[in-house]
Amino acid sequence: TGIVANHVLEHLDCQEAVRVLKECRRVLQQGSVVRIGVPDPEVFLANFPQDTMENCQRLFGEPLDPNGSARTFMDGALFFREHRQVISEAALRCHFLSAGFRIMERSSFGQSLTHGLASLDNREKFTLFMEAR
């Protein structure tokens, strides 16, 4: 058993995100996993020189909305107006620690410590996945 939250925490400010993770920790059974996916700023930094409307599908697996205000996929994905924070691996580790988790590790798309959790993964090309227990 476990909890999955893909592309959720970035919509919350830091304090709200920690409160949500604390609640996840509270309801999880001993040994269960919380799996978090967030837009990975490292991916956007590495691809920034090529981050154009023409390259978005190839680089990130999604097109840039031609009618939107974002000029790069990074602007649209990291600084989307409904996002409240940019979460790096280090920041996510701090969120987990603040919520009381002590065992955490980076994960890959489609791979999980708990059978079935990774079947809910999405946005493979630009998501940072981490699990904690």
Side-chain angles (χ1 to χ4, degrees):
T1 62
I3 297 170
V4 175
N6 285 331
H7 294 271
V8 173
L9 289 189
E10 67 272 16
H11 292 267
L12 309 174
D13 67 31
C14 292
Q15 293 76 22
E16 291 171 316
V18 169
R19 280 194 295 274
V20 166
L21 290 173
K22 282 181 179 179
E23 184 63 10
C24 290
R25 186 171 171 268
R26 186 186 73 76
V27 301
L28 281 172
Q29 295 176 353
Q30 184 75 19
S32 294
V33 170
V34 61
R35 181 174 179 82
I36 303 294
V38 295
D40 188 348
E42 294 294 330
V43 171
F44 297 104
L45 287 172
N47 288 292
F48 189 75
Q50 299 143 34
D51 187 354
T52 63
M53 176 109 32
E54 299 77 30
N55 292 332
C56 284
Q57 186 72 44
R58 176 177 57 82
L59 292 173
F60 306 110
E62 295 182 19
L64 186 64
D65 180 2
N67 301 316
S69 61
R71 294 178 38 208
T72 64
F73 196 81
M74 181 180 77
D75 285 342
L78 285 185
F79 301 105
F80 178 61
R81 65 183 174 89
E82 292 179 5
H83 288 179
R84 300 292 177 247
Q85 59 178 320
V86 174
I87 305 175
S88 65
E89 181 175 346
L92 188 51
R93 287 182 185 279
C94 290
H95 283 56
F96 279 135
L97 287 169
S98 292
F101 289 98
R102 295 296 179 258
I103 301 171
M104 65 203 83
E105 58 187 70
R106 188 168 182 148
S107 188
S108 298
F109 181 87
Q111 297 179 352
S112 175
L113 296 170
T114 301
H115 179 72
L117 288 187
S119 67
L120 300 170
D121 288 354
N122 61 11
R123 298 177 166 167
E124 176 179 9
K125 292 189 174 191
F126 65 93
T127 301
L128 162 64
F129 294 100
M130 288 194 72
E131 294 185 338
R133 23 188 183 113

